[in-house]
Amino acid sequence: APAEKAATRRGVAGLIFAYKTAGAAADRGDDLDAVTRVAQRTVDRTRTMGVGLSPTILPAAGEPTFTLEEGEMEVGIGIHGEPGQHRGPLESADEITDRFLAELLAELDLADGDRVAVLVNGLGATPIEELYLIYRRTHQVLAERGVTIHRRYVGEYATSLEMAGASLSILHLDDELAELVDAPARSPFFTQGTVEPAGPAPEGRTPLVRTGATQSGDVRTVAEPGRLREVTLAVTERMPQHADELRELDAALGDGDLGITVSAGARAAHEAVAALPPDAHPSEIVKAAGAAFAGANPSTYAALVGGGLVAAAQPLADAERFTTAELATATRAVLDRIVERGGAQVGDKTVVDVLVPVLQVLESRTGEAPADVAEHSAEAAREAVAEGVDRTSQRGRAGWVGERSVGHQDPGSVAMLRLIEEVAREL
């Protein structure tokens, strides 16, 4: 994203520096607020740019997330295979590095005498010899500016399965960040210097052991449960059939994993709701579905939608029945939480564009038959998805591709549309 939209940028390989400095700050005993400040300062002083020479393949999908013709390259690629900002004929290592440096040095305020850490990261299928060609050119250009490379990392640190390509990250060091970058570390992922193995837990404390999620306490029930549980089970059973469509849409604008996110999340939600009694309170059903959907995938979409559903359980707590009015209340809570956590507004070409007109339908038709309300909601969602095609994506990974998002449906919006359509079908 351009500098004026820096807040919408997502992590690329420069996140390795943030992991390193935050980890070292925690290891020396900093409290959480101090660690957070170190991580944020590292992010603020780091810039990354990458090039893809062949697409990534998600194992669960089994297909490339995008296509590149022989002899083409994609500049500005993301670590999950997200499309970049420029596609053109393959260039030499020096020419690609110069492209990187033109962008990076325009944003990093580097002067004669400054120190940096440099990371040349292979995306998974690029020989290390080629990575050193990028490092060689980077060293040459920085040396000409009087900038010292204090520490260098050349290798595979943030890969994208089966993708050929590389990225260049530069961290503008200050004294504290240099000390934290230099600190020894030992983990399966990253080792530097000499670190003693961790000893036994201190006396009186036991090691943390994570187990499967369990439900504590009694499940609330209601005298008139209605069809919420029944409809939820039917819809979550059918949602995985849309996985291929969502994967293809997401591959054009993101990393191609939305189909997996929705199908895995729907299966988890189905299992969680099926475990509830037939007369479970609506708040219990919504909360269980949301928590399961959010927990099924390490995905922003899953976290936002699932978290929205969990938030919606609270205003439903006093409901004795689940009608269109309660559905409107829950939908507003979902929308508010997604906007709060994700930051999207109407017109940003996200799922928010669908939820707003659907909420308007729900709030204006509370006295009508549920099947009619569902069909009107589905029509409002279809119109919102169609209107968004000509917009530029402003948020999330789709925001990276800029004007190239015009002409494409927003994947998250389509996922919500399919959910509403399935509800209408069931009713």
Side-chain angles (χ1 to χ4, degrees):
E4 63 271 17
K5 294 184 178 180
T8 69
R9 292 175 177 175
R10 301 289 291 272
V12 197
L15 52 79
I16 302 301
F17 289 138
Y19 291 160
K20 180 66 185 70
T21 57
D27 191 53
R28 72 183 179 187
D30 288 11
D31 63 23
L32 185 58
D33 287 341
V35 171
T36 301
R37 287 192 293 272
V38 164
Q40 187 61 57
R41 193 161 88 252
T42 304
V43 170
D44 294 341
R45 296 170 70 95
T46 301
R47 295 293 183 273
T48 299
M49 199 161 193
V51 61
L53 308 178
S54 69
T56 186
I57 298 177
L58 294 175
E63 297 182 23
T65 55
F66 63 95
T67 58
L68 272 176
E69 299 298 329
E70 188 72 25
E72 275 192 325
M73 66 177 185
E74 182 98 8
V75 177
I77 204 79
I79 56 173
H80 296 116
E82 301 90 343
Q85 62 174 206
H86 166 79
R87 179 174 294 193
L90 182 63
E91 297 173 346
S92 70
D94 279 1
E95 289 170 326
I96 292 172
T97 306
D98 286 343
R99 277 185 179 272
F100 293 164
L101 292 170
E103 299 277 354
L104 302 178
L105 297 180
E107 295 203 9
L108 289 169
D109 186 22
L110 297 178
D112 187 4
D114 282 350
R115 294 179 295 165
V116 297
V118 168
L119 168 66
V120 181
N121 175 63
L123 291 174
T126 300
I128 195 167
E129 294 90 343
E130 296 190 30
L131 302 182
Y132 271 100
L133 294 178
I134 295 175
Y135 175 78
R136 166 193 163 277
R137 178 61 175 166
T138 301
H139 180 277
Q140 180 182 3
V141 171
L142 292 178
E144 290 171 355
R145 289 182 169 229
V147 175
T148 300
I149 297 179
H150 173 77
R151 186 174 283 274
R152 68 178 182 273
Y153 301 95
V154 182
E156 294 180 343
Y157 292 86
T159 58
S160 192
L161 288 171
E162 302 190 46
M163 176 181 263
S167 63
L168 172 63
S169 302
I170 300 177
L171 165 60
H172 185 186
L173 295 169
D174 56 27
D175 289 343
E176 183 184 28
L177 292 181
E179 177 184 338
L180 294 171
V181 165
D182 289 343
R186 186 174 70 91
S187 73
F189 165 73
F190 179 94
T191 298
Q192 177 174 287
T194 303
V195 179
E196 292 299 320
E203 185 175 354
R205 295 177 58 186
T206 57
L208 175 64
V209 178
R210 296 194 180 275
T211 61
T214 58
Q215 186 171 351
S216 60
D218 295 330
V219 175
R220 289 183 60 200
T221 58
V222 66
E224 298 181 47
R227 296 189 62 195
L228 177 60
R229 181 177 180 275
E230 169 195 341
V231 172
T232 300
L233 289 174
V235 168
T236 51
E237 187 173 30
R238 292 200 294 263
M239 280 303 292
Q241 71 187 15
H242 302 292
D244 287 344
E245 175 194 22
L246 298 176
R247 181 195 63 78
E248 292 173 6
L249 291 172
D250 195 37
L253 299 182
D255 57 5
D257 69 351
L258 185 62
I260 299 169
T261 295
V262 169
S263 57
R267 292 188 185 100
H270 183 93
E271 182 178 343
V273 174
L276 297 175
D279 58 350
H281 191 278
S283 63
E284 299 279 7
I285 295 170
V286 172
K287 181 170 63 176
F293 189 84
N297 296 279
S299 155
T300 303
Y301 190 82
L304 289 173
V305 174
L309 288 169
V310 172
Q314 184 173 357
L316 293 177
D318 296 329
E320 295 301 326
R321 300 173 61 232
F322 191 79
T323 67
T324 302
E326 281 72 39
L327 179 58
T329 298
T331 302
R332 178 165 291 282
V334 171
L335 173 62
D336 289 347
R337 179 56 60 90
I338 289 176
V339 170
E340 174 195 349
R341 294 289 173 85
Q345 302 294 326
V346 173
D348 284 348
K349 196 170 179 175
T350 72
V351 69
V352 169
D353 292 349
V354 171
L355 288 174
V356 168
V358 167
L359 177 59
Q360 292 170 349
V361 170
L362 295 174
E363 291 181 335
S364 64
R365 296 177 178 270
T366 55
E368 299 182 17
D372 293 337
V373 175
E375 190 49 55
H376 284 297
S377 298
E379 184 57 35
R382 281 190 284 271
E383 291 176 3
V385 170
E387 289 172 2
V389 168
D390 294 330
R391 295 195 187 114
T392 301
S393 299
Q394 301 292 331
R395 306 292 301 185
R397 291 192 174 98
W400 289 359
V401 301
E403 294 299 325
R404 291 167 62 182
S405 62
V406 175
H408 294 278
Q409 294 178 323
D410 174 60
S413 297
V414 174
M416 186 59 66
L417 167 60
R418 298 292 176 252
L419 173 67
I420 296 167
E421 288 175 337
E422 291 294 353
V423 171
R425 173 184 171 188
E426 185 63 23
L427 291 175

